[in-house]
C-alpha cells in the first residue's frame, strides 16, 4: 500500500523500521535449508512433519486436531503437533530461527509474520503452487512481505458490536450504526449496576486491536498517529469513559473479561470478536444480537483489523517443505477451510465460502461484511508495527485516565514511533 499524506498534504511520517539486508536473509535461509533435518537432502519421501501453533484453548485445540487428522488421512503425512501459549509464540519462533530448529509448518498471529519473514527463515508460498484464487485481497496482503507471499490464513476473525436485545428493546433503542447513536445508546443503557458498553483497552495488542476500528474508520493512519482524524477517534473513545457509559476498568480488561461482563449483564453492549459466539450461545437466557462496528457517519464502511493466524513454511529442507506444503494445501481446501472456520467462528479466507457462511449464519454475517474493508495491521509498517502499536495503546491509556489530552497523548506516541 502507498503511504497516505497528512492533512496538510505533506508526506506522512512513517516510523523507522529495521530491515534485514537481502544477502543476509538469503544466507540464513540457505543455512536453515541445510540444517540436517530428517528428509533434507534425501531421496526418501517425507512421511512426517512438525507443526507449531498457539491453539491452547480446549475448543480451538480440539477443532485444530480434527483438521490435522483429516489432512493426515488425505496426504499420508503424519503431523507432529506442538502448541504453546500465544504470548510465547514469537519469542520461541525467533529462538528457533537462531538455533535452526524451526518446525516444518508454522501458524502464527498475522502481525508476527513480518518479523519472522524479515529473518529470512520463511519460504515463499509461490514455490509450492498454492492457489490464492478467490481470497480476500486484504488476507493475501496480511501474509505478504516485500512483495512475496509467505503466509496464508484459512480464516480470519474480527470485531463487531454485540448487544443485549432485551435491554435495547426495553429502552426503545435500535442497534447503533453510527458513533452518535453508539454514544447515546451507551449513556441511556448505563445504570447504577450496569455500563452501556464494554471493550478492552489493556496495554497489549488486544487494546490496540480494539481501538483500531475507531481509529481507521475515522480516516486515521498508523503512519501519522497524531493526525486530526486520530485525535478525534481517541477523543471519542476516551469520552465514552468520561461520560460514564464505559467503565474505567476497560484499562485492565482483556477481551475474555469483556465477554464475562457482557454475559453476566454488567454491560449492555460490547466490542468483541467472533470467537465468543460459541460461548455466548451456551449462556442460559442470554438473547443477543451482533452488528458491524458503528462508524463516524451513516453510510460509511467500518474498517476493522484482520485477526487470525497465518500458515507459513520455514526453510527446513526441500523434502520437508514440500510435505508441509501438501498438508497446508489440504488445510486450505474448500471443505476443510469451511469446517475449520465454522467450528472456530472465523470467516473463510475465500470470498465465495464467506458469502455462503453469511447466508447460513446470521450472527457471522456482520463479521463477513467487514472483511471486505478490513485491513492488515502490518501493510504499511511491516516489522515496525509492534513499536507503533505499543505507542498507540499507551496514548489510549493516557487519554482514558486523563493523564494527557488525546492530542498530547498521540503527539507523544508519534514521537515514540519515529524514534523506534
Amino acid at each position: 500500500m502507498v503511504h497516505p499524506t497528512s492533512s496538510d498534504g505533506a508526506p506522512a511520517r512513517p516510523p523507522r523500521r529495521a530491515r534485514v539486508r537481502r544477502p543476509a536473509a538469503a544466507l540464513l535461509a540457505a543455512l536453515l535449508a541445510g540444517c540436517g533435518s530428517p528428509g533434507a537432502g534425501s531421496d526418501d519421501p517425507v512421511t512426517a512433519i512438525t507443526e507449531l501453533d498457539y491453539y491452547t484453548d480446549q475448543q480451538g485445540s480440539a477443532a485444530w486436531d480434527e483438521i490435522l487428522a483429516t489432512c493426515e488421512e488425505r496426504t499420508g503425512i503424519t503431523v507432529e503437533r506442538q502448541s504453546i501459549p500465544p504470548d510465547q509464540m514469537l519469542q520461541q519462533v525467533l529462538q528457533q530461527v537462531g538455533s535452526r530448529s524451526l518446525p516444518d509448518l508454522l501458524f502464527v498471529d498475522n502481525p508476527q509474520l513480518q518479523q519472522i519473514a524479515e529473518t529470512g527463515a520463511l519460504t515463499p508460498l509461490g514455490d509450492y503452487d498454492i492457489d490464492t484464487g478467490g481470497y480476500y485481497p486484504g488476507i493475501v496482503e496480511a501474509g505478504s512481505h516485500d512483495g512475496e507471499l509467505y503466509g496464508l490464513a484459512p480464516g480470519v476473525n474480527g470485531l463487531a458490536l454485540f448487544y443485549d436485545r432485551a435491554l435495547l428493546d426495553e429502552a426503545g433503542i435500535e442497534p447503533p450504526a453510527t458513533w452518535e447513536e453508539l454514544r447515546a445508546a451507551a449513556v441511556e443503557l448505563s445504570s447504577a449496576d450496569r455500563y452501556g458498553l464494554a471493550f478492552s483497552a489493556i496495554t497489549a495488542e488486544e487494546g490496540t486491536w480494539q481501538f483500531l476500528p475507531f481509529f481507521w474508520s475515522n480516516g486515521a493512519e498508523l503512519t501519522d498517529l497524531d493526525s486530526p482524524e486520530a485525535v478525534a477517534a481517541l477523543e471519542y473513545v476516551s469520552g465514552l469513559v468520561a461520560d460514564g457509559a464505559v467503565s474505567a476498568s476497560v484499562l485492565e480488561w482483556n477481551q475474555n473479561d469483556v465477554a464475562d461482563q457482557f454475559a453476566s449483564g454488567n454491560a449492555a453492549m460490547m466490542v468483541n470478536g467472533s470467537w465468543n459466539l460459541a460461548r455466548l450461545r451456551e449462556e442460559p437466557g442470554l438473547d443477543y444480537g451482533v452488528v458491524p462496528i458503528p462508524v463516524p457517519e451513516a453510510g460509511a464502511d467500518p474498517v476493522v483489523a484482520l485477526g487470525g493466524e497465518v500458515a507459513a513454511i520455514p526453510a527446513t529442507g526441500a523434502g520437508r517443505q514440500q510435505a508441509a506444503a501438501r498438508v497446508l494445501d489440504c488445510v486450505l481446501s474448500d471443505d476443510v477451510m469451511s469446517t475449520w472456520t465454522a467450528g472456530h467462528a472465523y470467516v473463510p479466507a475465500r470470498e465465495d465460502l464467506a458469502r455462503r457462511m453469511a447466508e447460513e449464519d446470521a450472527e457471522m454475517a456482520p463479521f463477513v461484511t467487514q472483511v471486505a474493508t478490513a485491513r492488515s495491521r502490518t501493510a504499511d509498517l511491516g516489522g515496525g508495527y509492534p513499536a507503533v502499536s505499543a505507542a498507540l495503546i499507551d496514548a489510549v491509556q493516557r487519554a482514558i485516565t486523563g493523564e494527557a489530552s488525546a492530542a498530547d497523548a498521540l503527539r507523544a506516541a508519534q514521537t515514540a514511533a519515529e524514534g523506534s
Side-chain angles (χ1 to χ4, degrees), residues 161 163 168 173-178 181-183 185 269 291-294:
L161 182 72
Y163 63 93
L168 268 68
I173 297 173
E174 292 294 321
T178 66
E181 293 171 356
L182 179 61
R183 182 190 293 272
M269 300 180 289
V291 292
I293 294 277

Side-chain angles (χ1 to χ4, degrees), residues 326-351:
R326 289 179 59 198
V327 173
L328 177 56
D329 196 47
C330 171
V331 170
L332 298 175
S333 62
D334 284 3
D335 63 328
V336 176
M337 180 182 289
S338 295
T339 298
W340 164 244
T341 52
H344 210 52
Y346 275 33
V347 176
R350 287 196 173 91
E351 295 187 48

Side-chain angles (χ1 to χ4, degrees), residues 370-386:
Q370 294 177 139
V371 173
T373 53
R375 295 180 63 173
S376 161
R377 284 165 278 176
T378 55
D380 290 332
L381 304 175
Y385 171 76

